Amino acid sequence: MTTLRPALFLDRDGVLNEDPGYVHRWEDFRWIPGAREAVAAFNRAGWWVFVVTNQSGVGRGYYAENDVIALHARMSESLAEIDARIDAYYYCPHHPDARVEAYRHPDPPDRKPNPGMILRALGEWPVDLARSIMVGDKESDLEAARRAGLRSLHFTGGDLAQFLEAEVLAA
């Protein structure tokens, strides 16, 4: 039997990185203070760490899915520098008003506040839901967590590692 582990679900823009809008290039990416350290602390504590991020810029035609994948790869390289890792990235390129028809959907199941990305992670990884948390900076993040039966924390800025310190110590 596989041992269940708690998971830290993180929104990306506004939680892991500064959010000036539609970040998709590494040269525009800026880590939130304490973000890499928070990921490393949860890794050391034995938690899964997942990113769940709406990326409507793809559907709006601002950038391609390959740009999202490349940015996530660069994030992983940066995290590896401090022996940290994201176990999986989940992103939703769909939007009800997408200019790119392939990404247009009236209510995308993966687009937060819908819980699709969280539910996929729960189906793909041995997660202890009762001990897991979602950290988001928007109500849609918190609502997605509620719909998935997941406790959530509202991050309003500052140092992410300090914000989550009590959660690591409680693990």
Side-chain angles (χ1 to χ4, degrees):
M1 181 173 136
T2 306
T3 304
L4 298 180
R5 292 166 45 186
L8 176 64
F9 291 85
L10 297 165
D11 176 48
R12 195 188 82 186
D13 302 324
V15 174
L16 286 174
N17 60 279
E18 295 174 6
D19 186 11
Y22 303 105
V23 175
H24 63 282
R25 299 179 328 150
W26 182 247
E27 44 276 15
D28 299 327
F29 185 93
R30 302 287 176 271
W31 288 106
I32 290 281
R36 293 190 325 151
E37 295 78 9
V39 171
F42 277 81
N43 292 156
R44 286 191 304 274
W47 289 51
W48 301 115
V49 180
F50 305 124
V51 169
V52 288
T53 179
N54 287 344
Q55 290 298 311
S56 69
V58 173
R60 295 173 193 270
Y62 300 160
Y63 50 91
E65 278 193 73
N66 284 341
D67 295 319
V68 176
I69 293 164
L71 180 62
H72 291 166
R74 292 297 297 269
M75 289 171 64
S76 290
E77 290 170 11
S78 177
L79 287 165
E81 294 170 1
I82 63 163
D83 294 322
R85 76 183 178 288
I86 300 293
D87 293 294
Y89 293 88
Y90 295 90
Y91 66 93
C92 179
H94 302 93
H95 190 275
D97 301 322
R99 286 196 338 231
V100 180
E101 188 173 345
Y103 298 112
R104 193 175 313 129
H105 187 286
D107 187 22
D110 281 350
R111 182 172 171 76
K112 295 176 289 181
N114 289 328
M117 290 184 283
I118 297 170
L119 296 176
R120 276 199 296 139
L122 294 174
E124 294 173 2
W125 296 81
V127 173
D128 181 345
L129 182 63
R131 293 173 44 216
S132 299
I133 55 175
M134 167 76 193
V135 179
D137 65 323
K138 296 182 179 68
E139 178 55 36
S140 58
D141 302 319
L142 309 180
E143 179 62 22
R146 280 191 287 276
R147 292 181 187 182
L150 186 62
R151 185 167 62 102
S152 63
L153 298 173
H154 186 197
F155 180 67
T156 57
D159 186 293
L160 186 62
Q162 289 176 0
F163 177 78
L164 290 171
E165 187 174 9
E167 298 300 325
V168 176
L169 296 175

